[in-house]
Amino acid sequence: AWNRLVPSLAKITGIVGSRARAARARWQELGGTLADWDAFLQRIEASDFLTGRTPGRDTRRFTASFDWCMIPANAHKIREGKYDNPKPNTDAHKPTLW
């Protein structure tokens, strides 16, 4: 699923050992369904920051890896939307009364 749904990031060739334990734990935290897992991976792919399409605050580009995304704290921030793209400010073009 990673290689298919997150094509912007490095491919993985296997999930064994500690990587498998981390992936299993994240799977359970996400709800334990394929739909939940796919939504998590799609959120990663949609993030310009996580995929290196846009620089971070320090102007350097970051690209997440599978292992980075499986770290509990990082996965939690991904689920919370911390790395989602900023929403456009639609109020900027509205006329004001004052």
Side-chain angles (χ1 to χ4, degrees), residues 18-38:
S18 61
R19 180 182 267 188
R21 286 188 294 280
R24 238 185 324 275
R26 300 304 76 78
W27 170 277
Q28 291 302 319
E29 290 169 6
L30 290 167
T33 70
L34 190 54
D36 295 326
W37 186 252
D38 285 356

Side-chain angles (χ1 to χ4, degrees), residues 22-72:
R24 238 185 324 275
R26 300 304 76 78
W27 170 277
Q28 291 302 319
E29 290 169 6
L30 290 167
T33 70
L34 190 54
D36 295 326
W37 186 252
D38 285 356
F40 177 70
L41 298 181
Q42 289 166 353
R43 186 170 221 162
I44 294 167
E45 178 61 25
S47 170
D48 288 345
F49 174 73
L50 293 177
T51 57
R53 292 187 292 259
T54 190
R57 287 183 296 232
D58 61 1
T59 69
R60 291 185 296 186
R61 292 187 186 270
F62 169 78
T63 54
S65 67
F66 178 84
D67 296 317
W68 185 91
C69 292
M70 294 303 114
I71 294 170

Side-chain angles (χ1 to χ4, degrees), residues 67-82:
D67 296 317
W68 185 91
C69 292
M70 294 303 114
I71 294 170
N74 297 341
H76 187 73
K77 287 184 258 186
I78 292 167
R79 286 192 315 270
E80 287 181 337
K82 177 175 173 48

